Amino acid sequence: EEERKRRRPPQVAAAQALALLRERWGLQEPRVVRELVSYDDRNYEVVDDASGARFVLKLHNGVESDKPPFLEAMNMMMAAIDAAGVPCPTPLPLTGSGSGGLTALGVELGGGGDASSSHAARLLRWVPGAPLVTDKAQTESEWEGCGEMVGRMAAALAELDPPPEALTRMHLWDLANFPSVGAYVSCIKDESRQALARAVLSDFDSEVASLAASLPRQALHNDANEQNLLVADGQAAGVVDFGDAVLSFRVAEAAIMLAYQALDKADRVEACAAMLRGYARAAPRLNEDELRVLPALVRARLCCSVVMGAYSHSQDPENDYLLVTQEPGWAALRELSLMEADGGKREAFTRRMIEAYADGCGGQ
């Protein structure tokens, strides 16, 4: 599926985007401000000059466009999260022809003929704020606030019972499927990094696999990274990008959040501890098995990010966004994987996460 996404990205001309905004959503004076970075979709910041309102026009890759139930599952998740008080980019209803839904299906994009392709499109409300990664003066309080926001999101998604059936899917970025990443390790040319990736895969097999069947599962955002957590004035402000949503291990939401929090930090352990404290205040309570596998899942997500980023860039060398976590990701993965005797912080990380989680739960 990752390879198919690479082969089927949306291609759109400015005139097509403007016509789409007028015809499907009734914007009177739409204007495309800029294209936003994306892994495999096309996203545009849009302003309606008639009203001054801002939006995101999201054109889905061809794989997701062929799966309307998955797109509706994302809409359902965002509605639940927004209702719980966590700002997120909920979709606007269609107007005019095809009105009544939230997703425009079968939108023909491209230059016509063989260059044309059919895609799904949604117009999303703009969430004010900036990605956490852009804040160069991050504070412990800000990290705790972001962790609490992810915890509130997890609590809201836990209420989707039963969760949308479309979230049960084979997805490489689902930590339950982490062993599948092993097929891509050979794309890593550096031998020491390749060995590290294989060691993380082995850790997953020995520490997580035997417990996997009993770990609680729920609907997940599945990508609470420093690009998708928004902040404003030092406070958590919202969550964006639900394209990796999946039904998987409940504890994975925390593990993914911590994996990206570990990037580019002077003290990774304490930075992660602050965010986990906030998460614990608001999220459904994790059980002993979930806490036991949490460190291994953090390493697994870091490994997935650097391996799949390298592989995807080899398939799409013009998209440098795919390399955003490479160097900081390998540095974090090495430090959190090595034992203290070898200069790492593996044991310290495990101990500190247990303490921080207990602190967030009120010492229980």
Side-chain angles (χ1 to χ4, degrees), residues 104-344:
L105 301 174
V107 177
E108 293 296 328
L109 301 174
D114 293 339
S116 295
S117 58
S118 178
H119 292 269
R122 293 184 297 162
L123 188 64
L124 308 175
R125 291 179 176 85
W126 182 267
V127 180
L132 175 62
V133 70
T134 65
D135 185 350
K136 302 308 179 185
Q138 297 175 25
T139 65
E140 183 175 306
S141 174
E142 189 173 26
W143 293 335
E144 286 196 25
C146 285
E148 184 170 353
M149 179 172 66
V150 174
R152 289 165 59 201
M153 176 176 70
L157 294 178
E159 296 299 314
L160 293 179
D161 187 19
E165 185 176 339
L167 296 180
T168 302
R169 60 189 183 122
M170 175 58 197
H171 187 41
L172 267 175
W173 293 87
D174 175 0
L175 281 175
N177 295 327
F178 176 63
S180 300
V181 173
Y184 299 88
V185 171
S186 60
C187 77
I188 305 299
K189 303 307 179 187
D190 183 282
E191 291 185 3
S192 65
R193 288 180 171 181
Q194 189 175 126
L196 177 57
R198 296 194 187 284
V200 176
L201 284 156
S202 178
D203 285 347
F204 185 94
D205 186 56
S206 61
E207 298 178 30
V208 180
S210 63
L211 297 172
S214 63
L215 294 175
R217 296 181 179 234
Q218 70 164 67
L220 304 179
H221 174 280
N222 202 45
D223 198 18
N225 66 43
E226 76 282 18
Q227 300 279 352
N228 294 335
L229 301 181
L230 303 184
V231 296
D233 299 322
Q235 304 291 321
V239 181
V240 299
D241 192 353
F242 287 73
D244 284 311
V246 72
L247 178 70
S248 190
F249 304 145
R250 177 175 64 183
V251 65
E253 202 83 277
I256 292 164
M257 172 190 77
L258 295 178
Y260 293 103
Q261 174 68 348
L263 302 178
D264 286 324
K265 300 297 189 301
D267 188 335
R268 305 181 207 281
V269 174
E270 287 306 314
C272 287
M275 194 168 271
L276 187 58
R277 275 197 305 273
Y279 174 89
R281 287 201 294 263
R285 189 66 59 90
L286 301 178
N287 64 35
E288 289 185 7
D289 284 346
E290 290 175 295
L291 290 174
R292 185 176 297 119
V293 302
L294 177 61
L297 291 178
V298 172
R299 297 193 298 272
R301 180 57 176 227
L302 282 168
C303 184
C304 182
S305 181
V306 292
V307 171
M308 295 312 301
Y311 170 76
S312 297
H313 189 261
S314 72
Q315 304 300 302
D316 184 9
E318 299 300 316
N319 189 349
D320 288 338
Y321 177 68
L322 301 172
L323 298 177
V324 69
T325 63
Q326 283 294 297
E327 292 306 319
W330 283 112
L333 183 58
R334 179 168 296 280
E335 185 171 283
L336 298 185
S337 296
L338 292 179
M339 297 294 187
E340 291 174 1
D342 298 318

Side-chain angles (χ1 to χ4, degrees), residues 2 11 27 37 86 116 120 171 183 222 239 305 361:
E2 291 294 315
Q11 302 295 327
L27 270 61
V37 295
V86 176
S116 295
H171 187 41
N222 202 45
V239 181
S305 181
C361 292

